[in-house]
Amino acid sequence: MTMGYRDDGPDLRFGRKLLSLNWGLVLLIAMTASVGFAMLYSAAGGDVQPWAIRQIIRFGGGAFLMLVIALIDIRFWMRWAYLIYAVALVLLLAVEFVGTTGMGATRWVSLGFFNLQPSEVMKIALVLALARYFHGLSLEDTGRITYLLPPLALIGMPTLLVLKQPDLGTALLLAAGGSIVLFLAGVRLWKFALALGAALAAMPIAWSQLHEYQKGRIMTFLNPESDPLGAGYHIMQSKIALGSGGISGKGFLEGTQSHLNFLPEMRTDFIFTMLAEEFGMVGGLALMGLYILILIYAYAIGFRSRHQFGRLVAVGIATTFFLYIFINIGMVTGILPVVGVPLPLISYGGTAMLTLLIGFGLILSVSIHRDVEIPRSRG
Amino acid sequence: MRGRVEKARYPVFTRRALMLGGMKAALFAALGARMYYLQVIEGDQYKMLADENRINLALLAPPRGRILDRRGVPVATNRQNFRVLIVPEQTKSVGETLDRLNQIVPVSDQTRARVLRDVSRKRRFVPISVVDNLTWEEFARINVRSPDLPGIQLDVGQTRDYPLGVYLGHTVGYVGPVSEKDLKEGDGDPLLELPGFRTGRRGLERSFEGTLRGAAGNQRVEVNAFGRVIRELSRTEGRPGSDIQLTIDARLQRIATQALRPESGAAVVMDIHNGDVLAMASTPGFDPNAFNVGIGNTEWQTLLRNSRKPLTDKTIAGRYPPGSTFKMAVALAAMEANVAGAAHRVFCNGKHVLGNHTFHCWKRWGHGWMDLNDALAQSCDVYFYDIARRVGVEKIAVMAERLGLGQTLLPELPGESAGLVPNPAWKEGAIGEAWQGGETLIMGIGQGYLLATPLQLATMAARLANGERAISPRLVFRDEPDVEAPPLGLSKDALRHVRQGMNDVVNGKHGTARAHRITQEGWEMAGKTGTSQVRRISRAERESGVLKNEDLEWRSRDHALFVAYAPVDKPRYALSVVVEHGGSGSAAAAPVARTIMEATLELDPASNRKQRVAANPEREG
């Protein structure tokens, strides 16, 4: 016997929401994160200290936040979407003036207890804002150029700010993540082709604006063997470690290249290499299988949502998630330049983990609230 | 309204999302293909690269072979070298640790500067040598204090040790660091590139380098990206260097060296049956241990500039006119040529005139009538001028070579000189002048161009004593069976006369070395004195009286020589002694020869104690 929720008391509504939570997706996320814990355990030479334990605590906190976000009504998120975007944009501006500098780039603002990376927050906020915008737009309006200007501004402002930090990787991720929402909303394909053409035409100008280390990374990517002890070292060592893993790998805790420190950044950006060294192609493909399942779940949630906002949020965030995966694995296997993108849910680090779990919280919220009705224009 | 909008955009979204999903699937497939390529197709190559990354091959130096004397006593061996190393990463302050170490063993400012320089250059986990060649006591003291010495590591290495030191320095030689030249010309042995590896630089250490060195072992170790050794994967022990055994008797070597001191000179003792060199002493010498520890430039210059040439092995590289010790060769040549037999007599009036040259005897007023035996025993020069002139230079030269002169005899020792046995063809070629008749006469008394090494003189004495075979000196025992020496080819009769002459030199009534004969029965020595001039005596000097050696500066004095064999009746050992600028052979060389010969016979396993007790009972009393 079914009942509409309006008739239930608040507690019952909470209990029912919890029940209708997509536990399958939650389980998949937890499994993927557990793979990360195992790899961090291995990175420490078979010890939960110092990395695995901290990652578990972070995941615990992040997962709790994810569930809280999931249980909050999707209409709340839609209502606050622009404000969240605005806050994220202000934070990005704040980085310009009061940011903390590290590794030659300014990416963090200190909130006293926590170093926040606003560009990460922006990845979610941008999808939310664009989803809200296109939710209120009919397909005919979507086809009009004038209606395309606000979302382009939404994408352009944070992208330029991040580019200025400078953080090429995140800027590209933001631009791509935003464009995907436009694509899903039904913006004509020829417009994308036009934008792509313009971008290609602007490339020589962009190249001259790039920092030396960014140019170097791209050059190194094009020919890693040219400088095996310098910038190409990371890619070469990553390929050696990964390739030497073979089909079934060297065994858990037995990855020689990772454990003997030949593999750089093995806890963060290159953690996939360590996994592929210890568990071989089988292990690497299994992890990709987990990721694909998560994506399928997110897509299913998107398809089942009865409102455009939910659809765009679910698939938009899932695509951002995908971009992380593809860029990271592409980078460590040497088919993309080294841009410093972590492997989602696996790499050691708090900000990316938190961003992703907030994103999954929103997807889960779409799942729970797939049937709510949201008017096109704000009532 | 909512329905219419939804109806329009839901299919668009679905279509677009599926397109996007398809693109993602394609990209995942690309990643999968990339992993297949790296891990399966190229997997083996990357496995190899991974091993190259992590596996280092370290060479293990084999222990160097020892050099033993004839009784197995080591004369070059490997000694434990107690060293102190410092590992920079294990101490907060290298300087402070060195200060503390300085309270236990002296650490010079020079050492300190070198250590600090190395610390800044090398990786922090690489041990750096601070001091070595510590005594056991110092080593133990540091060991006890080690808790106060962070970063200090104690190590026992190997270093070359020469127990006989200066007594056998020339023959054994020493080892030293590999030079650039060795590396370039190298035999391709990877050991040469091992830091701190030492190769033979002089003497037997150099000539037997190949035998003594051995072959490198290796050790495969796993290293991390910073080069730190994590663990040993496998180890192949090298082949240790082989020992070599010398014919030298360390005891006799010591006695012979001491007998020569403090003069500068050389002595060689040989077994007349097999050519074993029992001792080859050259004074003054050098201590090879000093080179091992590292000799300072000033010490090296002192050795080089010393006019008594301590670095030269005079037994093989010292070239001396043999003087009267050569007279046996002249006599044998004359007898073999049948120009003057044992009964040939010459009247010595103190001089021999040839053309407008006068050749003097050492005895100014002459010896009177002399036969061969008298002439040898009293070393009459006039007699030998006479027979040398009769036999001619060519035959004398051939005989000299048959007795061992004019050739190298010990190819295993670097730096041996062949000496010089002149003949008219040689003079024509080397100087471009014709041979003068007078030069034959001069050669008849072992002077002139004629030059011999002490080793050649000992060989000559050994061949005369052996009589049958032209034995050659032997310094190192080899595994291959002995090859019998070629026959000497001298007539028994001629030898008998020459030996009798040598017997009378020492034991005869008028023998020049009678004062230094061995009196012990059964040990009697036969020999020949020699006094070779190193300067020309002018007519004016001769008329006013030849200067005595004591009145001359050291480098102008005559060389004193003596060759001998013993026992007279049943010869076993031969020797030669040269005392550089020692004056006369009878006064300076003969006593040294007697001391050495007595010691040789005493150490001879054949001369057992019983015999000696019987021969000389009061000694044991």
Side-chain angles (χ1 to χ4, degrees):
Chain A
M1 191 173 163
T2 54
M3 284 188 228
Y5 7 36
R6 271 154 222 262
D7 299 328
D8 297 330
D11 291 342
L12 250 180
R13 269 168 63 191
F14 178 77
R16 182 158 286 266
K17 275 189 177 183
L18 215 51
L19 272 179
S20 62
L21 190 68
N22 194 329
W23 287 106
L25 181 56
V26 174
L27 185 70
L28 281 171
I29 289 167
M31 278 170 67
T32 310
S34 302
V35 171
F37 307 151
M39 290 330 293
L40 290 173
Y41 176 81
S42 174
D47 196 340
V48 291
Q49 297 286 359
W51 303 302
I53 188 74
R54 287 164 73 177
Q55 185 82 343
I56 290 169
I57 291 167
R58 278 175 194 155
F59 178 76
F64 178 75
L65 189 62
M66 173 179 80
L67 293 179
V68 169
I69 290 168
L71 294 174
I72 292 170
D73 197 311
I74 193 69
R75 283 165 295 194
F76 172 87
W77 294 118
M78 182 164 145
R79 197 175 310 131
W80 295 101
Y82 287 151
L83 189 67
I84 292 168
Y85 175 86
V87 169
L89 198 63
V90 167
L91 283 173
L92 267 180
L93 273 168
V95 169
E96 268 300 295
F97 301 107
V98 294
T100 311
T101 304
M103 312 270 289
T106 311
R107 290 171 190 173
W108 295 274
V109 273
S110 179
L111 298 181
F113 59 98
F114 183 69
N115 280 337
L116 186 76
Q117 209 172 330
S119 56
E120 286 293 321
V121 179
M122 182 50 93
K123 282 173 192 159
I124 303 295
L126 179 62
V127 173
L128 275 181
L130 288 170
R132 169 165 180 180
Y133 179 80
F134 283 107
H135 178 81
L137 218 61
S138 71
L139 200 59
E140 295 81 55
D141 292 341
T142 306
R144 294 197 178 101
I145 287 288
T146 43
Y147 285 91
L148 222 48
L149 292 176
L152 284 179
L154 286 178
I155 299 170
M157 285 186 294
T159 303
L160 287 174
L161 280 173
V162 171
L163 207 54
K164 200 167 179 308
Q165 284 181 357
D167 185 348
L168 183 65
T170 308
L172 286 171
L173 268 177
L174 275 175
S179 309
I180 291 298
V181 180
L182 266 64
F183 174 77
L184 290 168
V187 175
R188 291 286 171 188
L189 284 174
W190 65 264
K191 287 175 183 157
F192 286 98
L194 198 71
L196 199 68
L200 283 175
M203 249 173 65
I205 302 159
W207 178 259
S208 64
Q209 293 296 308
L210 286 179
H211 286 252
E212 248 350 279
Y213 84 97
Q214 291 171 324
K215 287 183 189 174
R217 277 181 173 182
I218 292 170
M219 292 311 290
T220 306
F221 159 67
L222 294 174
N223 186 12
E225 282 83 3
S226 66
D227 186 15
L229 285 176
Y233 180 79
H234 287 197
I235 294 174
M236 272 310 295
Q237 292 300 331
S238 175
K239 279 161 78 176
I240 289 172
L242 194 134
S244 65
I247 296 173
S248 55
K250 297 175 184 169
F252 189 49
L253 305 176
E254 301 291 327
T256 55
Q257 302 301 294
S258 340
H259 289 288
L260 298 174
N261 289 319
F262 287 104
L263 185 62
E265 308 279 336
M266 63 168 169
R267 297 185 303 281
T268 54
D269 292 355
F270 286 85
I271 198 164
F272 183 80
T273 306
M274 187 164 84
L275 176 114
E277 189 192 6
E278 297 196 345
F279 297 105
M281 191 174 74
V282 175
L285 293 183
L287 179 66
M288 282 201 237
L290 272 178
Y291 281 140
I292 290 168
L293 280 176
I294 290 175
L295 285 169
I296 290 172
Y297 264 80
Y299 266 66
I301 288 167
F303 286 136
R304 279 160 66 190
S305 168
R306 293 178 62 157
H307 40 85
Q308 182 78 343
F309 179 72
R311 289 194 283 266
L312 293 178
V313 165
V315 179
I317 290 173
T319 302
T320 299
F321 177 67
F322 167 81
L323 287 172
Y324 270 97
I325 298 165
F326 179 74
I327 292 174
N328 180 274
I329 299 181
M331 166 178 99
V332 302
T333 54
I335 54 177
L336 290 177
V338 177
V339 285
V341 170
L343 187 64
L345 301 174
I346 308 270
S347 285
Y348 182 75
T351 310
M353 176 74 94
L354 203 64
T355 311
L356 285 158
L357 290 175
I358 288 170
F360 282 116
L362 289 167
I363 294 175
L364 287 168
S365 177
V366 171
S367 175
I368 294 171
H369 307 99
R370 58 182 173 267
D371 291 330
V372 297
E373 297 204 359
I374 313 176
R376 272 209 301 140
S377 51
R378 215 176 136 191
Chain B
M1 181 181 163
R2 177 191 167 268
R4 186 182 60 79
V5 170
E6 274 298 292
K7 215 176 261 174
R9 65 186 184 184
Y10 184 72
V12 172
F13 168 82
T14 313
R15 201 165 56 237
R16 293 271 171 110
L18 285 176
M19 275 169 67
L20 199 60
M23 275 159 63
K24 288 175 190 174
L27 290 174
F28 267 118
L31 290 181
R34 177 66 174 172
M35 288 187 62
Y36 179 78
Y37 173 76
L38 290 177
Q39 298 193 290
V40 180
I41 297 175
E42 300 267 272
D44 287 339
Q45 197 204 327
Y46 283 115
K47 272 187 192 115
M48 208 179 68
L49 286 173
D51 283 347
E52 269 175 30
N53 249 350
R54 73 183 175 98
I55 295 171
N56 263 9
L57 203 64
L59 281 181
L60 299 172
R64 192 172 174 83
R66 296 174 305 162
I67 302 178
L68 310 170
D69 90 336
R70 65 184 296 112
R71 296 183 310 133
V73 177
V75 296
T77 183
N78 303 311
R79 174 169 57 83
Q80 285 184 321
N81 175 13
F82 298 109
R83 318 191 277 170
V84 173
L85 310 168
I86 189 163
V87 185
E89 70 171 2
Q90 288 171 7
T91 173
K92 277 191 199 126
S93 160
V94 172
E96 201 178 299
T97 301
L98 290 178
D99 286 342
R100 288 190 197 165
L101 182 67
N102 194 22
Q103 294 164 8
I104 310 172
V105 291
V107 178
S108 69
D109 288 344
Q110 208 181 336
T111 305
R112 194 189 171 85
R114 174 182 57 78
V115 170
L116 291 174
R117 195 185 61 223
D118 282 357
V119 167
S120 61
R121 280 187 192 162
K122 294 184 175 167
R123 291 189 169 137
R124 295 194 53 78
F125 57 82
V126 176
I128 291 158
S129 167
V130 182
V131 281
D132 54 4
N133 288 307
L134 293 170
T135 63
W136 168 246
E137 195 195 322
E138 289 170 323
F139 196 65
R141 277 217 304 277
I142 297 167
N143 203 4
V144 169
R145 293 274 306 271
S146 63
D148 301 337
L149 299 163
I152 286 293
Q153 213 174 59
L154 295 170
D155 177 72
V156 183
Q158 292 238 305
T159 189
R160 203 67 167 157
D161 187 43
Y162 303 102
L164 245 54
V166 72
Y167 289 105
L168 200 56
H170 294 113
T171 313
V172 169
Y174 49 82
V175 293
V178 180
S179 68
E180 287 292 323
K181 192 164 151 261
D182 293 338
L183 265 182
K184 228 178 271 166
E185 294 170 3
D187 37 23
D189 190 336
L191 275 174
L192 293 182
E193 295 184 37
L194 199 66
F197 191 74
R198 280 156 187 261
T199 58
R201 312 244 42 103
R202 191 184 271 265
L204 293 169
E205 289 274 33
R206 181 168 133 200
S207 49
F208 280 84
E209 177 63 26
T211 313
L212 294 168
R213 187 191 292 169
N218 63 55
Q219 181 194 27
R220 284 169 69 239
V221 290
E222 184 173 78
V223 297
N224 71 5
F226 314 111
R228 182 197 294 274
V229 173
I230 306 296
R231 64 190 161 132
E232 185 178 284
L233 299 173
S234 72
R235 192 186 180 95
T236 324
E237 293 296 343
R239 179 175 51 77
S242 308
D243 291 348
I244 60 173
Q245 189 166 20
L246 306 184
T247 59
I248 299 280
D249 185 324
R251 300 168 301 178
L252 188 61
Q253 178 73 24
R254 202 181 276 267
I255 292 165
T257 310
Q258 281 164 345
L260 281 167
R261 284 175 181 173
E263 298 298 331
S264 81
V268 176
V269 182
M270 269 171 72
D271 184 310
I272 67 151
H273 296 301
N274 52 25
D276 282 3
V277 176
L278 295 167
M280 48 191 308
S282 173
T283 57
F286 62 89
D287 185 354
N289 290 304
F291 288 85
N292 197 24
V293 178
I295 189 165
N297 197 37
T298 46
E299 291 158 283
W300 172 249
Q301 289 299 328
T302 312
L303 282 174
L304 267 185
R305 290 211 189 106
N306 190 328
S307 61
R308 300 197 171 204
K309 302 203 180 330
L311 289 174
T312 305
D313 185 351
K314 299 186 179 79
T315 59
I316 55 167
R319 297 161 13 124
Y320 308 96
S324 301
T325 61
F326 188 64
K327 284 174 179 165
M328 285 80 80
V330 181
L332 284 170
M335 282 188 277
E336 194 161 86
N338 275 322
V339 295
H344 177 72
R345 282 157 64 88
V346 172
F347 185 80
C348 171
N349 62 357
K351 55 189 166 195
H352 182 100
V353 181
L354 181 75
N356 49 8
H357 280 280
T358 304
F359 299 88
H360 294 269
C361 186
W362 65 270
K363 198 168 183 180
R364 198 166 178 186
W365 306 116
H367 289 92
W369 281 106
M370 294 264 111
D371 62 6
L372 176 64
N373 189 270
D374 299 330
L376 275 173
Q378 298 177 39
S379 206
C380 173
D381 291 338
V382 168
Y383 185 91
F384 286 93
Y385 292 141
D386 179 79
I387 63 169
R389 189 173 51 77
R390 289 170 193 272
V391 71
V393 58
E394 301 283 3
K395 290 200 168 109
I396 296 172
V398 168
M399 182 56 70
E401 279 162 8
R402 275 165 74 187
L403 292 175
L405 273 57
Q407 61 205 278
T408 55
L409 297 164
L410 266 183
E412 53 261 62
L413 260 188
E416 189 189 357
S417 163
L420 179 62
V421 175
N423 60 26
W426 166 82
K427 195 187 175 191
E428 200 75 51
I431 302 176
E433 284 173 19
W435 187 266
Q436 305 286 312
E439 285 168 340
T440 307
L441 270 61
I442 294 289
M443 191 166 161
I445 61 160
Q447 295 274 161
Y449 299 114
L450 187 68
L451 292 170
T453 66
L455 179 72
Q456 288 169 343
L457 294 176
T459 305
M460 179 183 77
R463 287 183 182 180
L464 290 174
N466 182 297
E468 303 275 323
R469 305 251 155 215
I471 55 116
S472 288
R474 173 170 76 167
L475 185 58
V476 179
F477 287 117
R478 292 181 193 266
D479 289 336
E480 54 243 51
D482 291 349
V483 183
E484 210 178 6
L488 193 57
L490 290 173
S491 89
K492 286 228 158 61
D493 197 46
L495 271 171
R496 189 170 53 80
H497 288 296
V498 167
R499 286 190 192 151
Q500 186 55 50
M502 289 176 77
N503 188 358
D504 289 343
V505 167
V506 186
N507 303 308
K509 223 179 191 175
H510 303 288
T512 50
R514 184 175 168 78
H516 306 292
R517 67 187 188 277
I518 296 176
T519 51
Q520 189 168 334
E521 204 178 310
W523 281 17
E524 291 88 348
M525 170 170 79
K528 182 76 196 76
T529 53
T531 306
S532 63
Q533 260 171 240
V534 294
R535 66 191 182 106
R536 244 190 123 80
I537 298 173
S538 67
R539 179 168 299 199
E541 185 189 332
R542 203 171 285 283
E543 274 161 13
S544 64
V546 175
L547 285 171
K548 288 209 168 111
N549 271 306
E550 298 86 72
D551 302 330
L552 293 167
E553 62 162 340
W554 182 73
R555 56 171 69 250
S556 301
R557 294 179 196 167
D558 298 337
H559 290 312
L561 297 93
F562 197 74
V563 297
Y565 64 84
V568 164
D569 300 332
K570 216 179 162 212
R572 287 191 48 76
Y573 299 106
L575 63 67
S576 69
V577 170
V578 174
V579 178
E580 285 187 337
H581 310 294
S584 83
S586 53
V592 174
R594 182 185 59 180
T595 307
I596 297 172
M597 188 57 91
E598 276 180 338
T600 308
L601 291 168
E602 193 166 336
L603 294 172
D604 179 7
S607 64
N608 60 57
R609 271 185 117 65
K610 251 183 207 156
Q611 241 182 342
R612 273 178 51 213
V613 172
N616 207 353
E618 69 271 25
R619 220 188 237 186
E620 293 293 317

